[in-house]
Amino acid sequence: MDVQRLAEKVGSAPWYRLLGMEIELGETISIVLQVQEKHLQALGIAHGGVIASLLDSAIGLNINKELVGKKKVAVTSQLNVHYLKPVLPGKIRATAKPLYIGSKVAVGFGELKDEKGEVLAVATATFYIREDSGVFQ
């Protein structure tokens, strides 16, 4: 499987469709979301789970991009999110990069920014690497 097919498979998942997350391919893979009323918690800002989902997805896709073709897949085992500023309705983008990819674990870093380029949240995540059982083949 190539990166394009990986993005199509992941982007068609029910969770992506439910939240409205869009995958953008480039030098790195980004996750974009138009924050709407359905994403807000009682205080009128985006729910932390929405933010965590974007960051987890961006980090995970950028790690899995490196594993495509190696018959391996990485799944989240730990996610640490730092919420820096409130996320208001509008377009947000999560970008990420792998920091380390070993034989059994990988670690990545992600940032969430608004349309002005302000950093709203950052995250680190650890992923467990296992044999792909055919999901991404």
Side-chain angles (χ1 to χ4, degrees):
M1 174 176 285
D2 63 12
V3 174
Q4 178 68 40
R5 288 190 53 223
L6 170 69
E8 289 170 3
K9 175 103 174 157
V10 171
S12 68
W15 185 245
Y16 274 69
R17 292 193 323 266
L18 178 67
L19 286 183
M21 295 188 293
E22 296 178 11
I23 298 172
E24 289 187 356
L25 299 177
E27 191 174 311
T28 62
I29 300 173
S30 299
I31 306 296
V32 178
L33 178 74
Q34 184 67 40
V35 178
Q36 303 169 17
E37 183 179 6
K38 69 180 180 178
H39 301 116
L40 306 181
Q41 44 94 309
L43 298 176
I45 59 177
H47 190 281
V50 172
I51 296 162
S53 289
L54 266 75
L55 288 163
D56 181 34
S57 295
I59 298 168
L61 279 168
N62 281 285
I63 287 173
N64 276 294
K65 177 178 90 163
E66 301 302 319
L67 300 174
V68 168
K70 297 179 182 177
K71 297 187 179 179
K72 301 225 180 242
V73 62
V75 294
T76 310
S77 60
Q78 181 272 334
L79 177 67
N80 186 21
V81 180
H82 295 273
Y83 302 93
L84 305 175
K85 296 181 180 179
V87 177
L88 302 171
K91 188 176 181 179
I92 55 175
R93 174 184 308 276
T95 58
K97 64 179 178 179
L99 298 175
Y100 170 80
I101 300 177
S103 62
K104 291 291 182 189
V105 296
V107 177
F109 172 80
E111 282 187 320
L112 182 76
K113 294 181 180 181
D114 63 14
E115 292 176 280
K116 298 173 190 167
E118 285 194 57
V119 178
L120 306 172
V122 296
T124 56
T126 303
F127 288 76
Y128 174 70
I129 298 172
R130 64 181 184 84
E131 295 297 320
D132 183 1
S133 59
V135 173
F136 291 134
Q137 293 179 19

